[in-house]
Amino acid sequence: MLLIANGTVLTLGKSNQVIQNGGVLIQDSKILEVGSTQDLKTRFPDAEFIDARGKLIMPGMINTHMHLYSTFARGMDAKSKAPQNFGDILEGLWWKLDKLLTLDDVYYSGLTPLIECIKTGTTTIIDHHASPMAITGSLATLAKAAKEMGVRAAFCYEVSDRDGDAIAQEGIKENADFIAACQAQPDSMVAGMFGLHASLTLSDQTLTKCGEEAKRLGAGFHVHVAEGREDLEDSLSKYGVRVVERLEKFGILGPKTIAVHCVHIDDHEIDLLKTTQTQVVHNPESNMGNAVGVTPVLKMLAEGVKVGLGTDGYTCDMFESGKVANVLHKHAAANPSVAWGEVPQMLYGNNPEIAADLFGGKFGELAEGFWADVIVVDYVPPTPLNSNNWTGHLLFGVSGRSVETTVINGRVRMLDRKLVDIDEEAIGARSRELAQALWNRI
């Protein structure tokens, strides 16, 4: 048993309690009990004890759209012209980088951001991968990295026609093989989805094939939807329908599917997302950085679409993503009263539901029977903290680097800012070597 106690417990979830001088008792991979420190220590004196020293104890964070493979782009000169639109960014940066990745690159570009996840309190990620010259085995390679770091993760390969039919077919097979392997050996720490790049790089024939394979496997899709105007314009010009409408025709939408971005969608498409119970993930920093526009998050949430929050690989820090989402939608709406409730709903309500649908079990609350994904945050509130105002405390008082201790699935991965059983120095050194070699190939 493991007892994390002597802190302020913020349970989140339905119980929504703030327990002063409280603790969380963990047995194996689940939370056994939550209560006062004194009571838990008295009744379970032999439990391994982690002293929170008066700081905040809360559930781990969840990132519902990540790109681990983007790691080696950090600081890279892509030797391309300055981008003027989203298409330039895809062609000048991401489609250069992904073609250069080897399986060794994939492995280390996974390890290093997974360490950042641990250090910023992100305990679960849903990743979207691309390495068109190193497809076969890439998802197993990422799963190996996640297992070694101890981060709960789901993976998919982004099928695309942009590099030819043979590579598209290899991507389809990589998804199908990985999903089948996950189904053959169920593991609450790893899951598979069927990845698609975006409508603008997918032919009708490829979408048909992907739809058939996913249906055979009972899998959901993870797909970029109307991120840039290019995706919308391509769908309208080639197929005479908008992006969400096109995906719906091929059976891509549904309650197991994650539609990422959804920036350039209209009211009819929002209704389709709602009717099909498709899950949407918003990535505010990435959308702002790529200058693609503002996702109509407030309208989708008001209409009953389940919208989660991700980072698109822009950062590993979900607290940061929440801060940016808050100010972005205030700014876009020119209304300071919006996004106070919607952003916490996405981050602390919908993200756990999306994760539960994919991995099984219960997420996002410190309560009996939930996965033991727990973080200790170096935050002692300067004002009263209670069940009615905790969102303001997390928004203005906490960042990812405030996390001191991270426990995932009952396993301690960082204790008092020191990683446990992870050689960060060696991983970082090898990562830099591989990144430089990749940069030299551009």
Side-chain angles (χ1 to χ4, degrees), residues 62-286:
I62 298 166
N63 185 347
T64 48
H65 182 65
M66 180 64 173
H67 286 296
L68 295 176
Y69 84 86
S70 68
T71 302
F72 286 1
R74 194 178 301 181
M76 182 181 78
D77 179 3
K79 300 176 183 176
S80 302
K81 65 179 182 179
Q84 301 302 306
N85 53 51
F86 185 54
D88 289 347
I89 294 171
L90 291 176
E91 294 180 9
L93 175 58
W94 299 119
W95 294 351
K96 279 189 174 182
L97 172 69
D98 64 16
K99 287 183 178 66
L100 296 173
L101 293 168
T102 66
L103 285 183
D104 208 18
D105 296 328
V106 169
Y107 176 63
Y108 277 91
S109 66
L111 288 176
T112 46
L114 287 166
I115 288 173
E116 289 189 31
C117 287
I118 292 168
K119 293 172 80 171
T120 56
T122 298
T123 55
T124 298
I125 67 166
I126 301 177
D127 189 63
H128 198 278
H129 178 65
S131 54
M133 303 303 153
I135 296 175
T136 301
S138 60
L139 299 186
T141 298
L142 286 170
K144 177 176 181 287
K147 183 176 181 180
E148 291 173 0
M149 295 301 98
V151 175
R152 196 183 308 272
F155 299 103
C156 71
Y157 186 84
E158 64 163 50
V159 175
S160 171
D161 287 306
R162 69 178 182 266
D163 297 307
D165 183 65
I167 288 177
Q169 296 306 313
E170 188 179 357
I172 291 172
K173 187 175 187 301
E174 179 68 3
N175 278 314
D177 288 350
F178 184 74
I179 292 167
C182 290
Q183 292 174 344
Q185 293 185 308
D187 183 346
S188 64
M189 291 294 290
V190 65
M193 298 190 74
F194 209 105
L196 303 172
H197 174 245
S199 173
L200 83 165
T201 67
L202 291 162
S203 66
D204 285 354
Q205 293 80 5
T206 298
L207 280 177
T208 298
K209 176 68 172 176
C210 291
E212 291 171 349
E213 281 294 285
K215 184 176 181 180
R216 177 179 66 83
L217 293 161
F221 291 95
H222 191 174
V223 54
H224 302 101
V225 177
E227 180 177 3
R229 289 203 63 85
E230 294 85 346
D231 200 18
L232 171 60
E233 291 166 357
D234 179 87
S235 187
L236 287 171
S237 64
K238 290 180 180 177
Y239 311 107
V241 292
R242 298 175 70 91
V243 176
V244 175
E245 294 172 322
R246 181 174 183 235
L247 296 177
E248 194 271 337
K249 287 185 176 182
F250 286 92
I252 304 302
L253 305 183
K256 293 183 178 181
T257 287
I258 293 175
V260 186
H261 299 298
C262 294
V263 177
H264 299 282
I265 61 174
D266 64 10
D267 289 349
H268 175 60
E269 290 174 289
I270 291 175
D271 187 60
L272 279 176
L273 293 167
K274 176 185 177 181
T275 301
T276 57
Q277 297 181 294
T278 301
Q279 303 172 116
V280 173
V281 173
H282 176 42
N283 303 272
E285 285 180 285
S286 173

Side-chain angles (χ1 to χ4, degrees), residues 219 222 291 336 349 353 377 422:
H222 191 174
E353 290 184 6
V377 182
I422 296 172

